[in-house]
Amino acid sequence: MIKTDAVIVGAGPVGLFSVFELGILGLNAHVIDNLDRAGGQCIELYPDKPIYDIPALPECTGESLTKNLLKQIKPFQTKFHYNQRVEKLEKKNNCWFVTTSEKVQFETPNIIIAAGVGSFEPRKPPIKNIERFEKINLFYSVKDKNKFKDQTVCIFGGGDSALDWTVELSKIAKKIFLIHRRDEFRAAQHTVDLAKDLEKKGKVDFLTRYQPLDFQGNGKLEKIVIKHDNGDLKELNVDSVLAFFGLKMELGPIANWGLDLEAKSLKVNTENFQTNEKGIFAIGDICTYPGKIKLILSGFHEGALSAQECFKRARPNEKYIFRFTTSSSDIHKRLGVK
Amino acid sequence: MTYMPKVTYIEHNGTTHEIEVESGLSIMEGAIQNGVPGIDADCGGACACATCHVYVKEEWVEKISEISESEKDMLDFAFETKNNSRLSCQLILEEKHDGLVVNLPEKQG
């Protein structure tokens, strides 16, 4: 059990800046994110797209913004818990007990939800009841490639993941079918060329303009049915299927925490961005209130205000004093400024 | 005065919304600002998420802006794409689009 002043759900720009606002008040935080790195949508969806409305930064990218925020919070040596999401939430006395999907547990007076539109999850093929094959022989990522040795593997997708694994697994698999909805691929041309070479050698079959129609099997996935643009159906016997349809955002378990929701957003007050539960805050795109606009800069403001209330809850016996970073020696110490 | 082309959004269940949208806005923005359900627009219009997928009624396909490579790439992630699939955040409305009709897919993403 990790004891901390605050658990931040979401490592996007607003979650990161929230670490800063807590940090200058002398509060420590742990950050949880379902991706494998910080940055959230900024890094996952549009790392190279210019952003023009960050105060005092006439132009930056999602990637540079993330990098700078990580630099800004470096003095606080925050611990990040990646590749997991918060699964369980329980209240005891005035404290929250948080459990992640990787079974990491926290005890904290404050939870700051900065989860954007939700956590990034693999997008699944649009087929009913495919959960029954998941983790048996249907996968959305590769953890142990040796599992595919001497197998007939069917790979869906046209991006880097699909093509990279086609090339890599062709070295050990018996046969690979690469299935994609159109003739063009998003993946790096070099990898596409490598895969096309493998097709000539008979290791890989390209099946383009096909989309998945049905997955069949008893206990495990044995046969897939795919449909061509022209309506033709094709059946393939498979040992394993890898589906690389990218990521999508889902609110996930947050929806079941008993918090007041409006559409897919959490309702908060605008004094400290607390939800209907004391000690649970929502900031950034995930929160809503009269006049809310989904801007990164609004999230920064929401983070600063929620941190004040977090201080009161984490340090009930201390007096909160507002200080500026320009003049406070306490803040300078916390930032390591000499 | 700003011209307001009329756009018809038809939900998957057949519910029809006829909305006058300010020209210069995208078909996605027209839906979001007027509470048309069925368009999520998770990324806010950056052509980065494929949750504003629509089917453009056949007779309008030729009359709207051409599809870019990045939109084609992003459509890989949309649910049940067809030849007339587009991402509505990329479709900016002009005067000449008055009467345009889009159908919404069963679900987004």
Side-chain angles (χ1 to χ4, degrees):
Chain A
M1 181 81 71
I2 299 169
K3 273 195 173 189
T4 177
D5 293 326
V7 165
I8 298 171
V9 183
V14 172
L16 295 180
F17 192 66
S18 181
V19 169
F20 180 85
E21 287 295 331
L22 294 166
I24 59 171
L25 298 179
L27 303 183
N28 62 56
H30 283 250
V31 184
I32 301 167
D33 199 289
N34 211 21
L35 291 176
D36 58 2
R37 58 196 164 144
Q41 282 194 46
C42 285
I43 254 336
E44 193 57 38
L45 293 186
Y46 39 82
D48 308 322
K49 288 213 167 132
I51 306 172
Y52 300 107
D53 60 353
I54 306 298
L57 283 177
E59 184 180 340
C60 69
T61 61
E63 193 174 11
S64 70
L65 182 72
T66 303
K67 232 186 237 173
N68 277 328
L69 283 163
L70 286 170
K71 191 174 164 195
Q72 196 166 17
I73 63 172
K74 205 164 173 227
F76 306 117
Q77 300 178 328
T78 308
K79 176 96 170 84
F80 289 85
H81 305 265
Y82 292 123
N83 298 308
Q84 52 201 299
R85 64 181 197 185
V86 176
E87 287 291 332
K88 229 171 80 184
L89 198 59
E90 284 172 305
K91 185 155 82 172
K92 271 181 217 154
N93 303 324
N94 223 3
C95 248
W96 291 100
F97 291 81
V98 175
T99 310
T100 72
S101 51
E102 293 296 311
K103 309 290 175 230
V104 182
Q105 290 186 308
F106 303 89
E107 180 186 341
T108 182
N110 298 303
I111 297 171
I112 298 179
I113 303 173
V117 187
S119 71
F120 282 92
E121 311 280 342
R123 186 178 272 113
K124 298 175 180 185
I127 288 167
K128 278 198 183 107
N129 301 323
I130 57 165
E131 294 77 16
R132 64 197 162 121
F133 302 127
E134 287 172 3
K135 291 180 183 160
I136 299 171
N137 61 344
L138 165 64
F139 307 98
Y140 307 117
S141 63
V142 177
K143 295 227 163 73
D144 173 18
K145 65 178 181 183
N146 294 317
K147 202 176 266 176
F148 304 97
K149 196 172 183 312
D150 302 324
Q151 288 195 343
T152 298
V153 183
C154 186
I155 297 179
F156 283 97
D160 284 322
S161 301
L163 272 292
D164 286 350
W165 283 115
T166 296
V167 171
E168 186 61 27
L169 294 181
S170 70
K171 295 170 191 163
I172 52 172
K174 186 164 79 185
K175 177 91 190 175
I176 293 186
F177 294 106
L178 177 66
I179 304 169
H180 185 42
R181 62 174 271 266
R182 56 194 175 111
D183 294 323
E184 299 82 33
F185 293 88
R186 299 187 310 283
Q189 191 56 45
H190 169 73
T191 327
V192 177
D193 293 342
L194 281 177
K196 291 245 157 106
D197 277 345
L198 290 164
E199 187 179 30
K200 287 179 203 143
K201 290 176 188 151
K203 289 292 285 184
V204 175
D205 270 2
F206 277 66
L207 295 166
T208 55
R209 302 196 181 194
Y210 279 98
Q211 299 196 49
L213 186 70
D214 196 17
F215 287 6
Q216 301 165 356
N218 278 321
K220 61 173 188 163
L221 183 46
E222 289 157 354
K223 187 159 74 178
I224 62 167
V225 186
I226 54 176
K227 189 179 175 187
H228 194 271
D229 274 356
N230 65 17
D232 286 352
L233 300 186
K234 194 177 189 71
E235 293 187 358
L236 298 169
N237 294 313
V238 295
D239 295 313
S240 295
V241 171
L242 282 163
F244 296 114
F245 292 124
L247 299 171
K248 64 171 181 170
M249 291 172 280
E250 275 187 352
L251 196 50
I254 292 173
N256 310 320
W257 293 347
L259 304 174
D260 284 348
L261 283 164
E262 188 178 300
K264 287 195 262 174
S265 304
L266 297 170
K267 282 164 99 171
V268 292
N269 71 57
T270 48
E271 190 187 333
N272 53 29
F273 299 91
Q274 200 160 227
T275 64
N276 57 309
E277 287 282 0
K278 286 215 167 80
I280 301 190
F281 304 83
I283 59 174
D285 284 1
I286 201 158
C287 77
T288 186
Y289 50 83
K292 167 73 184 175
I293 42 175
K294 291 187 176 186
L295 290 180
I296 292 172
L297 73 93
S298 316
F300 290 164
H301 161 80
E302 292 154 11
L305 264 62
S306 63
Q308 322 294 308
E309 183 67 20
C310 289
F311 179 88
K312 291 174 197 162
R313 291 180 53 83
R315 305 275 188 275
N317 303 320
E318 288 176 37
K319 191 172 175 335
Y320 166 73
I321 304 162
F322 173 77
R323 291 187 179 100
F324 289 110
T325 59
T326 37
S327 51
S328 161
S329 56
D330 280 352
I331 292 178
H332 290 172
K333 246 183 256 163
R334 287 167 190 150
L335 290 172
V337 181
K338 287 192 181 111
Chain B
M1 209 185 87
T2 324
Y3 194 78
M4 308 275 277
K6 192 171 78 186
V7 180
T8 304
Y9 300 85
I10 306 173
E11 289 182 58
H12 190 255
N13 66 15
T15 309
T16 299
H17 306 260
E18 280 188 11
I19 290 170
E20 287 181 351
V21 183
E22 205 172 297
S23 59
L25 293 184
S26 67
I27 290 183
M28 176 277 277
E29 288 168 316
I32 297 291
Q33 294 184 3
N34 291 284
V36 176
I39 290 184
D40 293 345
D42 283 347
C43 80
C47 193
C49 77
T51 63
C52 65
H53 172 209
V54 298
Y55 306 115
V56 175
K57 196 153 192 200
E58 301 296 347
E59 61 258 38
W60 285 95
V61 170
E62 299 288 314
K63 296 175 189 161
I64 52 173
S65 63
E66 261 185 59
I67 188 164
S68 68
E69 282 307 310
S70 66
E71 186 184 340
K72 277 187 204 167
D73 283 351
M74 201 42 64
L75 272 168
D76 279 353
F77 301 127
F79 175 78
E80 281 188 358
T81 50
K82 301 176 189 167
N83 289 334
N84 58 339
S85 285
R86 292 295 300 266
L87 294 180
S88 57
C89 71
Q90 300 302 298
L91 303 174
I92 308 298
L93 288 161
E94 297 170 40
E95 208 168 314
K96 65 178 182 187
H97 296 134
D98 187 45
L100 196 148
V101 181
V102 294
N103 284 80
L104 307 186
E106 188 183 343
K107 63 173 189 172
Q108 294 289 348

